[in-house]
């Protein structure tokens, strides 16, 4: 009977000695150039292969005719025609390749990667190889709108546009299952991570805001996505925030806060300007000796002017038939 081992005395789990992640990818492969012939040699070989196919077809027909007539060499001619036709057709189908601009071909020989063909136009590659087309054109996509909490804990919705292209065709083809789907998921994950590291409105704790420093946040997002996509041989050209707003459940409250902040800022400007105008008016009155104001009349004039200048509505003039004291 096995002895029971208490939980606190259980042996620790084994820890992996190698990292699993960006630097711990199990598939270690890089792009290399495959042996190939250019357009002119490939054209010559294409003509020769077509000629062999035609000649073997004629030999096949002759062999059949000789067998029907009872000629002894008919079987040899028939077998020779079949062999030449088969070999020429296999070489033609597996070696003559046409590559369009913006595309490449990864070449495998019985499952072994032997290189990538980037030469455009007609080319001749090693026979009996299997090729796969990989586009290296610049592409872009927009992530889904994600709802995340910013650095202050406020829920926001955010989306980004990622501009990318395949840099290493070998890694893109063999390191991940589907490099396009891989990039889409990693981009959304990176976008969520970057959004949680920054406040929405104003800088906090030395962190720039999502709304006020869009370029800085976009650069950080591009670096984050590039680090995640490096294992798939993808190059991130640009990343830009395409949509940014508060989540619907707090959008109205945040709008009221922004409106209140704008009203306070406007009032500060109005009061600052009113004080300057009152100061200028009193200074000019004293300088020109238009009226002699004692402290009490001076205070009353200042109060009246500030009320008129800072009021939201037009002031209604009132004629005072008496004096300030009666």
């Amino acid at each position: 009977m096995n002895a029971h081992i208490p939980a606190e005395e259980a042996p620790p789990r084994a820890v992996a000695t190698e990292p699993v992640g960006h630097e711990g990818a199990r598939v270690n492969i890089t792009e290399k150039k495959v042996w190939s012939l250019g357009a002119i040699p490939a054209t010559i070989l294409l003509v020769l292969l077509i000629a062999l196919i035609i000649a073997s077809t004629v030999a096949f027909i002759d062999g059949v005719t000789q067998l029907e007539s009872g000629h002894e060499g008919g079987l040899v001619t028939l077998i020779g025609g079949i062999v030449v036709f088969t070999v020429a057709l296999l070489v033609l189908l597996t070696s003559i390749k046409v590559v369009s601009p913006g595309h490449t071909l990864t070449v495998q020989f019985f499952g072994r990667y032997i290189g990538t063909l980037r030469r455009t136009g007609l080319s001749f590659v090693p026979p009996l190889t299997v090729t796969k087309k990989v586009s290296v054109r610049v592409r872009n996509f927009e992530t889904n709108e994600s709802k995340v909490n910013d650095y202050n804990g406020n829920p926001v919705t955010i989306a980004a546009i990622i501009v990318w292209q395949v840099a290493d065709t070998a890694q893109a083809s063999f390191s991940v299952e589907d490099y396009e789907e891989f990039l889409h998921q990693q981009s959304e994950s990176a976008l969520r991570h970057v959004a949680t590291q920054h406040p929405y409105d104003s800088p906090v704790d030395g962190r720039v805001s999502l709304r006020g420093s869009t370029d800085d946040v976009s650069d950080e997002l591009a670096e984050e996505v590039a680090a995640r996509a490096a294992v798939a041989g993808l190059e991130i050209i640009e990343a830009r925030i395409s949509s940014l707003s508060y989540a619907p459940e707090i959008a109205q409250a945040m709008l009221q806060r922004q409106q209140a902040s704008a009203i306070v800022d406007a009032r500060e400007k109005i009061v600052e300007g009113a004080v300057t105008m009152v100061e200028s008016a009193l200074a000019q009155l004293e300088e020109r000796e238009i009226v002699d104001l004692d402290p009490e009349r001076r205070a009353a004039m200042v109060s009246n002017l500030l009320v008129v200048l800072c009021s939201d509505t037009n002031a209604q003039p009132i004629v005072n038939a008496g004096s300030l004291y009666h």
Side-chain angles (χ1 to χ4, degrees):
M1 181 181 295
N2 295 331
H4 176 70
I5 300 178
E8 61 273 13
E9 298 178 3
R13 294 183 178 180
V15 180
T17 56
E18 295 183 3
V20 177
H22 301 156
E23 299 178 357
R26 300 301 181 182
V27 180
N28 186 13
I29 189 171
T30 56
E31 180 182 319
K32 59 183 179 181
K33 185 178 180 181
V34 69
W35 176 87
S36 63
L37 296 177
I40 296 178
T43 303
I44 296 174
L45 289 175
L46 177 61
V47 173
L48 292 177
L49 289 173
I50 293 175
L52 284 175
I53 291 175
I54 295 174
S56 62
T57 303
V58 173
F60 174 81
I61 296 174
D62 291 341
V64 172
T65 303
Q66 292 176 10
L67 285 177
E68 291 178 349
S69 62
H71 195 278
E72 296 181 355
L75 182 60
V76 176
T77 304
L78 177 63
I79 294 175
I82 294 175
V83 171
V84 173
F85 178 85
T86 303
V87 173
L89 184 61
L90 283 176
V91 173
L92 176 64
L93 294 177
T94 60
S95 297
I96 301 298
K97 302 297 179 183
V98 178
V99 181
S100 303
H103 293 84
T104 63
L105 291 178
T106 57
V107 184
Q108 292 177 263
F109 184 74
F110 291 100
R112 180 175 177 268
Y113 171 72
I114 61 174
T116 297
L117 177 64
R118 286 183 175 265
R119 187 201 309 267
T120 58
L122 187 65
S123 299
F124 183 88
V125 298
L128 304 179
T129 56
V130 177
T131 60
K132 178 182 177 182
K133 182 183 294 185
V134 179
S135 174
V136 292
R137 293 177 294 183
V138 176
R139 285 174 278 181
N140 69 284
F141 68 94
E142 185 174 9
T143 64
N144 297 323
E145 282 197 354
S146 303
K147 183 162 67 173
V148 298
N149 292 334
D150 68 353
Y151 184 72
N152 293 328
N154 298 320
V156 299
T157 58
I158 187 171
I161 295 178
I162 309 297
V163 184
W164 63 283
Q165 68 178 149
V166 174
D168 191 305
T169 58
Q171 285 185 308
S173 299
F174 307 112
S175 292
V176 295
E177 185 69 24
D178 185 342
Y179 61 86
E180 291 191 31
E181 181 66 21
F182 177 82
L183 179 60
H184 285 203
Q185 295 182 358
Q186 293 299 322
S187 298
E188 292 188 4
S189 176
L191 179 61
R192 289 176 175 271
H193 179 261
V194 170
T196 59
Q197 302 302 309
H198 298 276
Y200 180 88
D201 274 326
S202 56
V204 176
D205 298 337
R207 300 172 183 264
V208 297
S209 65
L210 296 172
R211 190 180 66 173
S213 302
T214 306
D215 291 340
D216 295 336
V217 175
S218 297
D219 293 340
E220 183 179 344
L221 175 61
E223 294 177 0
E224 180 84 12
V225 178
R228 294 169 181 258
V231 68
L234 306 179
E235 178 183 2
I236 306 303
I237 299 174
E238 185 183 22
R240 289 288 175 184
I241 304 297
S242 61
S243 175
L244 178 63
S245 62
Y246 280 113
E249 56 266 26
I250 67 166
Q252 187 62 32
M254 291 301 176
L255 179 60
Q256 292 177 354
R257 190 184 72 172
Q258 293 175 0
Q259 290 175 343
S261 178
I263 291 173
V264 170
D265 292 340
R267 286 295 180 185
E268 289 181 354
K269 291 292 184 181
I270 292 173
V271 171
E272 181 180 353
V275 171
T276 302
M277 294 172 65
V278 170
E279 182 181 5
S280 175
L282 293 176
Q284 293 185 33
L285 288 173
E286 293 179 355
E287 181 181 354
R288 300 179 183 181
E289 297 181 355
I290 297 176
V291 63
D292 187 15
L293 299 176
D294 58 17
E296 191 171 355
R297 289 190 175 91
R298 187 184 184 92
M301 177 174 288
V302 169
S303 175
N304 293 334
L305 288 175
L306 288 176
V307 168
V308 171
L309 295 174
C310 298
S311 177
D312 287 335
T313 59
N314 295 328
Q316 298 295 328
I318 298 176
V319 178
N320 187 7
S323 66
L324 185 62
Y325 303 103
H326 299 286

